[in-house]
Amino acid sequence: MKTVTALLLALSLSVHAEDAPPLRNPANESVRHEVYAAIIKGLAYLEVLQQEDGSFRNPLIPAAAPEHPALTALSLIAFHRNPSGNAPFEPILNKGYAFLRSKVQPDGGIYVKGLSNYNTSVSLMALLNSGDPKDESIILAARKFIGAQQATGMLKPETDGGFGYGPTGSSPKRQHPDLDNTVITLEAIRTFAQQRPTSELAQGKDLNWQAAIDFISRTQNLTATNKQAWASDDAANKGGFVYYPGFSNAGETDLPDGKKALRSYGTMTYAGLLSFIYADLPKDDQRLTAALDWLKKNYTLEENPGLGRSGLFYYYHLAAKGLASAGVRELTLPDGKKIDWARDLGVKLVGMQNADGSWLNDTARWMEKDPILVTTYCVLALEIVHHQL
């Protein structure tokens, strides 16, 4: 806690000492100060909840962190990316990395008993930041593990090419690829390639990239590139994405011609956008431009479009990551209004932070009543926002 208090006292110096990225808007300086303070307060909340074993654990859900090391890994990534640098947080990071190492399995995955691909992908991204030579063999094994999870020969061939939660301990309903796990896995693979460019796996030759692109395409409402019967170009859904081919967590809607369309929704549309970016799709590809068109048309910070408050904070996290990765600094909405999305999101999240530094959703779906998970989503989003402002 002393670490974070010192950073708050040095807030002004830290902000002004940081190298300004190009195109910085001087009008956003005050918001940047507020965003920085919110990041540090969020990390202070997380710091208090780090356990002796190095995990970050919600005391109301004592089994969550050991069972899902990804929750600890996400927190470690948030600490690593903070604008003050790593030095003040080294003890926190080192304890957390030790916890992740303790969850390495003989097959190279980093998990306890379930969701092996998801947990390994996020833990890999965290351990890539450790800088400890002893992690190299763990990192390489984890990278091989997630690469081997790409689906092939599925009973439903439309799901080939994607990634799911993994084969270990998953319930039957999770025995298939989905867009959420695909984006997380591809992000981990690209992060590995960026940080280990000389590795034999850096080029991703163990993957079928075209199959991955085809899978992502089959989760998009865009008939030009998705020939499945459910795909629709109706005005409300064209360009948006669903959870996996043939299923949307947002349900379906009746069209004027009597057909039904699977509803596109916010989190998965950002996940689709990011997945195409990680797969190196050209920026002018119609699938990318259609996704951005849907996001502009449905832009809001009041809800996760299509799902209300369900997954709202994951939506904020993916929105920041997606728009920044796409190189979008300003959104032009259909009515011509221009949105400085980073400022908009920064102001929104600062205003939603609780007095103790946490954030919390009042809707429990997808674990968003876990303050550690939700606070981590918000800190990660604000770290992106801070760099953009």
Side-chain angles (χ1 to χ4, degrees), residues 179 216 219-220 239-242 263-265 268-269 272-273 276 291:
L179 185 55
I216 301 162
T219 64
Q220 188 176 26
F241 287 74
V242 301
R263 294 181 68 201
S264 302
Y265 60 104
M268 285 307 96
T269 302
L273 174 72
F276 279 142

Side-chain angles (χ1 to χ4, degrees), residues 36 69 81 120 162 355 381:
Y36 179 93
R81 293 179 181 174
T120 303

Side-chain angles (χ1 to χ4, degrees), residues 221 223 226-233 246 255 259-262:
N221 269 309
T223 61
N226 182 5
K227 301 305 181 183
Q228 294 180 96
W230 65 265
S232 175
D233 285 338
L255 300 178
K259 295 181 181 179
K260 294 184 181 294
L262 293 181

Side-chain angles (χ1 to χ4, degrees), residues 45 49-51 55-66 71 360 367 369-373:
Y45 175 82
L49 294 176
Q50 188 176 34
Q51 307 300 305
S55 67
F56 291 86
R57 190 177 310 163
N58 178 359
L60 300 178
I61 315 175
L71 296 178
L360 190 65
M367 295 179 64
K369 276 200 171 182
D370 183 335
I372 289 184
L373 178 63

Side-chain angles (χ1 to χ4, degrees), residues 43-317:
L43 294 177
Y45 175 82
L46 294 173
E47 180 181 8
V48 170
L49 294 176
Q50 188 176 34
Q51 307 300 305
E52 282 303 312
D53 65 358
S55 67
F56 291 86
R57 190 177 310 163
N58 178 359
L60 300 178
I61 315 175
E67 184 175 349
H68 298 304
L71 296 178
T72 291
L74 282 169
S75 295
L76 293 173
I77 294 169
F79 275 97
H80 176 78
R81 293 179 181 174
N82 85 89
S84 297
N86 287 341
F89 298 111
E90 282 185 0
I92 299 167
L93 290 164
N94 290 336
K95 283 180 65 176
Y97 295 141
F99 172 78
L100 295 183
R101 294 181 195 113
S102 75
K103 304 306 174 186
V104 173
Q105 301 298 323
D107 60 9
I110 305 172
Y111 59 92
V112 177
K113 59 182 179 180
L115 314 187
S116 51
N117 184 53
Y118 175 84
N119 279 288
T120 303
S121 293
V122 182
S123 297
L124 169 60
M125 285 189 279
L127 285 172
L128 280 165
N129 299 323
S130 77
D132 193 324
K134 68 172 172 283
D135 288 332
E136 288 306 306
S137 61
I138 296 174
I139 288 169
L140 184 60
R143 168 60 183 82
K144 289 180 178 178
F145 177 87
I146 63 173
Q149 303 309 311
Q150 187 173 25
T152 183
M154 299 292 289
L155 289 177
K156 294 183 177 181
E158 64 269 25
T159 61
D160 281 350
F163 296 81
Y165 279 106
T168 310
S170 297
S171 65
K173 70 179 182 179
R174 287 173 167 158
Q175 294 287 344
H176 58 75
D178 60 73
L179 185 55
D180 193 28
N181 278 282
T182 296
V183 68
I184 291 165
T185 307
L186 293 182
E187 181 181 8
I189 288 168
R190 285 307 188 192
T191 303
F192 173 89
Q194 289 167 359
Q195 297 199 23
R196 301 292 188 277
T198 61
S199 169
E200 61 181 8
L201 292 173
Q203 300 303 315
K205 293 181 179 179
D206 57 327
L207 301 178
N208 184 335
W209 284 100
Q210 187 57 55
I213 291 170
D214 291 344
F215 170 81
I216 301 162
S217 300
R218 291 193 293 268
T219 64
Q220 188 176 26
N221 269 309
L222 191 64
T223 61
T225 54
N226 182 5
K227 301 305 181 183
Q228 294 180 96
W230 65 265
S232 175
D233 285 338
D234 68 286
N237 294 296
K238 182 179 180 180
F241 287 74
V242 301
Y243 186 48
Y244 61 83
F247 176 80
S248 172
N249 280 307
E252 58 185 24
T253 184
D254 294 320
L255 300 178
D257 62 4
K259 295 181 181 179
K260 294 184 181 294
L262 293 181
R263 294 181 68 201
S264 302
Y265 60 104
T267 39
M268 285 307 96
T269 302
Y270 277 116
L273 174 72
L274 279 163
S275 295
F276 279 142
I277 291 171
Y278 297 145
D280 285 336
L281 217 62
K283 287 186 176 182
D284 60 352
D285 188 283
Q286 63 178 315
R287 289 164 286 191
L288 274 172
T289 57
L292 282 170
D293 285 344
W294 189 93
L295 291 166
K296 292 173 184 176
K297 185 185 297 184
N298 292 275
Y299 175 78
T300 179
L301 297 181
E302 300 307 311
E303 64 174 357
N304 176 7
L307 287 176
R309 293 188 65 82
S310 295
L312 178 62
F313 289 88
Y314 186 44
Y315 168 71
Y316 294 146
H317 170 54

